[in-house]
Amino acid sequence: MRSDKVAGPRQGSAPFLRWAGGKRQLLPVLARYWNEKYKRYIEPFAGSACLFFHLAPAKAILGDLNTELIGTLRELKMNPQGISARLRQLRKGREHYLTMRAIAPASIPAPERAARFIYLNRFCFNGLYRTNGTGRFNVPYGGEKSGSLPATERLLACSLLLKNATLIAGDFEKVLERVKPGDFVYMDPPFSVKARRVFNEYDKSLFSFDDVVRLRGWMEGLAVRNISFLVSYAESDEADFLKGDFHTEVVAVRRNIAGFSDKRKHSRELLISFIAGKKRSKGAV
Ligand SMILES: C[S@@+](CC[C@H](N)C(=O)[O-])C[C@H]1O[C@@H](n2cnc3c(N)ncnc32)[C@H](O)[C@@H]1O
């Protein structure tokens, strides 16, 4: 029988994608909530999955509503060399970016499709993912300074770490339904409608207050089953609603408001946690 689990010591990696709302700058703080005794690492709002790649857990489930993203992770898991070879064939620059953007992803083979996703992610404006009414990616070109494509070594390292992960495309509940005692769940949902007016980072259709209410219900259910979790959320009315009487920590983050560097400023993010076996409101790490 084939096993997806990789034996031996594992080394973390930087993520291979840039992601609006990504948590790279908070990694040292977030990592304190994890320990190797957990049976599995579960992340239902994976995005660039930077905490997963940083921690390199032995077993994981990653999910996201973004099917192109999950398709890319699946292909990277199986075929990093194929993706890398296709990426090296792609040219830089606005014109080529627009040509790549115009391709219907379903019309091309899986390695090309994953390479296209990584290419557009790297050169689009601010690492945003936004689609139009017909589901077509429509983020403008990010300019010459938007960075360089991930090196083959990075793709190989991420691929190796993904061998330990089950990948699920769909709503976060689909992932949470699989959580068991002994797991650790990290949830980093998009900011909902109200907070997004400030941060302006996501497609309107993505996360509503109803979704926040659903998430709150799941947090309650996990705590009742004594399952550890960590939720990160921008300080807001929704965050107050989510935190209830769970333990919270407030951290400062640099945010790129509306994508303009002169409007970068600090904002505060709430880390809401429940740690199995600890008292609910004192579940400090
Ligand atoms: C803030 S980002 C996660 C960023 C990630 N922590 C990182 O460091 O890159 C939120 C993610 O949730 C996904 N998402 C939005 N609504 C969702 C839903 N209902 N279920 C699952 N994922 C969802 C988005 O596609 C996005 O990738």
Side-chain angles (χ1 to χ4, degrees), residues 19 21-23 43-50 64-66 170-172 188-190 202 206-207:
W19 210 251
K23 288 294 171 295
E43 187 167 1
F45 302 93
S48 70
C50 65
D64 202 287
L65 196 58
N66 185 330
D171 183 66
F172 66 90
D188 182 29
Y202 287 95
L206 276 184
F207 219 67

Side-chain angles (χ1 to χ4, degrees), residues 80-137:
Q81 296 282 12
I83 295 180
S84 178
R86 267 104 182 151
L87 274 178
R88 304 304 142 210
Q89 291 165 0
L90 300 174
R91 289 192 309 280
K92 284 188 177 181
R94 178 187 300 274
E95 205 181 320
H96 197 57
Y97 174 87
L98 295 176
T99 307
M100 291 298 289
R101 199 181 70 170
I103 296 172
S107 70
I108 52 179
E112 278 79 3
R113 188 167 176 169
R116 173 185 176 271
F117 185 87
I118 296 169
Y119 176 93
L120 293 177
N121 169 265
R122 192 50 60 162
F123 297 121
C124 73
F125 182 70
N126 246 5
L128 286 172
Y129 190 88
R130 199 184 58 206
T131 51
N132 66 15
T134 61
R136 282 292 182 89
F137 184 76

Side-chain angles (χ1 to χ4, degrees), residues 191 199 233-236 250-255 265-270:
F191 305 137
F199 296 111
Y233 206 91
E235 213 175 38
S236 58
V250 180
V251 285
V253 281
R254 267 186 335 277
R255 284 252 157 241
K265 68 170 203 185
H266 283 88
S267 65
R268 283 149 60 97
E269 190 125 344
L270 225 55

Side-chain angles (χ1 to χ4, degrees), residues 15 17-25 27 30 41 43-52 63-67 69 129 168-175 186-191 201-203 205-208 211 214 232 255 269:
L17 296 170
R18 49 207 275 268
W19 210 251
K23 288 294 171 295
R24 279 190 84 170
Q25 52 174 310
L27 284 177
L30 300 177
Y41 173 90
E43 187 167 1
F45 302 93
S48 70
C50 65
L51 184 57
F52 161 80
D64 202 287
L65 196 58
N66 185 330
T67 50
L69 166 66
Y129 190 88
I168 297 178
D171 183 66
F172 66 90
E173 292 200 25
K174 217 167 141 184
V175 173
Y186 172 49
M187 294 178 278
D188 182 29
F191 305 137
E201 278 180 344
Y202 287 95
D203 190 346
S205 57
L206 276 184
F207 219 67
S208 66
D211 294 323
R214 279 196 302 136
S232 42
R255 284 252 157 241
E269 190 125 344

